[in-house]
Amino acid sequence: MLRLQTPQISQRHAAGSTHRRTMPSPIPVTRLLPKDIYPSLDIGACSSPLTKHSQGSTLQVPVQRLHGKVASRLWSSVILWKELRSVQPVGSGGFGSVYRAEYLGETVALKKVKKCTKNKLASRQSFWAELNAAHLRHTNIVRVIAATTCVPADFGDTGSIGTILMEFVGSRNLQQIIYGCAEPLSEDRWLRYSTDIAHGLRFLHSHSIVHLDVKPANVLVSGEDICKIADFGCSLKLDHGCEVSSVSPLLSHVGGTYTHRAPELLKGEVVSPKADIFSFAITFWQLITREEPYTGDRQHVLYAVVAHNLRPSVQHHPVFRSEQGPLCRTILSRCWSGDPCCRPSAQEVLTQLELLRYQT
């Protein structure tokens, strides 16, 4: 536990800032994706350091034959590099860069997970975590098309650990919509966005996957105005009924942005889907208020969230004084409870959001 003096922290709007997560990793250097599997094979088995099993760790990689179009249901461990066209940079982060490209006639997002000079193992672990939900298909989850660690020399990239092809959702995320757009964010719209996120979380949790970095910047918004959860670099695949400590050496990649990170994770306690519910609550509050949740020194915020139950204000914004205010406050207080057992499931959140929709 951090030994800090009790902070005095303002909860008013602050200028946006970028928070970089730290993801140390003890995994062996040799535990990487295998060589590409020939497309005619139906299943390839890869050893994954991010899935904890009692009899070892395996990740089944479904490989669908490619016949001129991108696979719509299964992801492939083969990337047909000669089919990539018009690769244009879109953005970059702590562990990778994202590009827009054309692949087999479809617009895709290409993510290169780069070798981190300070922590190469952490970047490898981030690559593996990105694939935790690769086999899943849901409207509110960004779809993975293909992924591999095998990059041909003529592709001209020696600085990446692996490459992931995903559906191209668009260039907007909720962070940009909340803080970077002058257009109003109506009650109907922020409620619809929140419902999309909750649907995505319910689906992930039903497959024992916890995202662990839910925040506006990791929620993409499509041209149809649908939210899709992206960036699984901090995620975990949990065994059913298995409790895992967030400070376990095997799972030390558990990270996330500190403003959205659940108190039990800050204290090194058990990882569960309820950690995503806490992060959802902070994101839900941001959608309502269009403000930053905290200001002040990072360490002070961490200490206050754990020791003094610091949470964003639910008093000053007009929504909290409206007819919908009491239910909004109830949803928030339950979702960001300091006790994970008191937080609702994603399904319960959806039920509460539906009640809120009736009031609008």
Side-chain angles (χ1 to χ4, degrees):
M1 177 60 63
L2 299 169
R3 299 183 181 276
L4 299 171
Q5 298 297 318
T6 301
Q8 299 296 322
I9 301 176
S10 169
Q11 294 174 325
R12 298 171 58 192
H13 175 76
S17 59
T18 302
H19 312 295
R20 184 172 299 176
R21 59 179 177 265
T22 301
M23 293 167 49
S25 168
I27 65 172
V29 177
T30 55
R31 299 186 72 174
L32 297 174
L33 281 172
K35 297 294 184 180
D36 280 335
I37 302 171
Y38 190 70
S40 64
L41 298 180
D42 292 325
I43 290 289
C46 303
S47 175
S48 169
L50 300 185
T51 307
K52 191 174 184 295
H53 299 278
S54 57
Q55 300 299 324
S57 299
T58 59
L59 175 64
Q60 295 298 318
V61 182
V63 180
Q64 183 161 329
R65 295 178 181 88
L66 299 173
H67 296 298
K69 60 175 64 177
V70 174
S72 60
R73 294 186 61 190
L74 302 177
W75 69 282
S76 171
S77 62
V78 175
I79 293 179
L80 306 178
W81 298 100
K82 293 182 179 180
E83 300 297 331
L84 279 171
R85 303 281 190 275
S86 305
V87 179
Q88 301 293 329
V90 173
S92 62
F95 281 97
S97 300
V98 179
Y99 303 81
R100 176 174 178 164
E102 298 297 321
Y103 184 66
L104 297 173
E106 182 176 335
T107 301
V108 300
L110 183 153
K111 183 171 185 177
K112 297 180 183 178
V113 180
K114 63 187 178 184
K115 296 177 183 177
C116 179
T117 55
K118 293 183 179 180
N119 195 336
K120 294 181 180 179
L121 294 180
S123 52
R124 287 192 180 96
Q125 206 163 12
S126 175
F127 175 79
W128 272 105
E130 289 277 10
L131 303 182
N132 277 329
H135 62 291
L136 302 178
R137 296 292 176 263
H138 190 271
T139 302
N140 303 118
I141 304 294
V142 173
R143 174 171 60 95
V144 173
I145 297 168
T148 184
T149 58
C150 299
V151 181
D154 57 0
F155 194 67
D157 181 20
T158 59
S160 67
I161 285 176
T163 301
I164 304 172
L165 289 185
M166 300 168 286
E167 67 170 310
F168 184 80
V169 177
S171 57
R172 298 187 306 163
N173 60 43
L174 278 189
Q175 178 83 7
Q176 295 166 328
I177 290 175
I178 292 172
Y179 300 115
C181 297
E183 61 185 289
L185 196 55
S186 65
E187 290 184 7
D188 176 73
R189 195 174 173 198
W190 57 252
L191 184 54
R192 182 160 43 82
Y193 287 164
S194 302
T195 302
D196 283 351
I197 298 169
H199 274 296
L201 290 178
R202 180 182 65 175
F203 182 75
L204 290 173
H205 296 170
S206 71
H207 288 83
S208 301
I209 294 173
V210 285
H211 187 278
L212 297 177
D213 198 16
V214 176
K215 60 180 181 179
N218 286 342
V219 178
L220 303 181
V221 182
S222 72
E224 294 75 31
D225 215 29
I226 296 172
C227 287
K228 294 176 179 282
I229 299 173
D231 196 343
F232 284 77
C234 288
S235 66
L236 285 178
K237 177 70 169 69
L238 301 177
D239 279 344
H240 181 69
C242 178
E243 292 188 347
V244 182
S245 169
S246 61
V247 294
S248 165
L250 180 65
L251 304 176
S252 63
H253 75 292
V254 174
T257 305
Y258 78 92
T259 53
H260 293 66
R261 198 175 186 200
E264 66 270 18
L265 301 187
L266 296 175
K267 292 187 287 185
E269 295 177 351
V270 169
V271 177
S272 77
K274 296 300 181 70
D276 285 344
I277 300 300
F278 182 95
S279 302
F280 166 83
I282 304 296
T283 301
F284 182 52
W285 181 91
Q286 289 176 283
L287 280 165
I288 293 173
T289 66
R290 304 186 80 169
E291 297 181 9
E292 292 287 347
Y294 309 113
T295 63
D297 179 76
R298 177 181 185 272
Q299 300 286 30
H300 287 175
V301 170
L302 293 175
Y303 178 83
V305 166
V306 173
H308 300 285
N309 290 315
L310 175 70
R311 301 292 187 269
S313 172
V314 292
Q315 301 298 328
H316 65 283
H317 194 273
V319 169
F320 299 121
R321 299 193 297 269
S322 68
E323 182 181 352
Q324 295 78 32
L327 185 51
C328 286
R329 290 195 297 269
T330 297
I331 294 172
L332 289 169
S333 64
R334 290 190 64 206
C335 289
W336 64 32
S337 170
D339 182 356
C341 295
C342 295
R343 294 175 206 150
S345 66
Q347 176 57 59
E348 292 171 321
V349 170
L350 283 169
T351 300
Q352 293 295 300
L353 292 175
E354 190 63 27
L355 289 175
L356 190 58
R357 184 182 297 276
Y358 286 138
Q359 292 185 2
T360 57

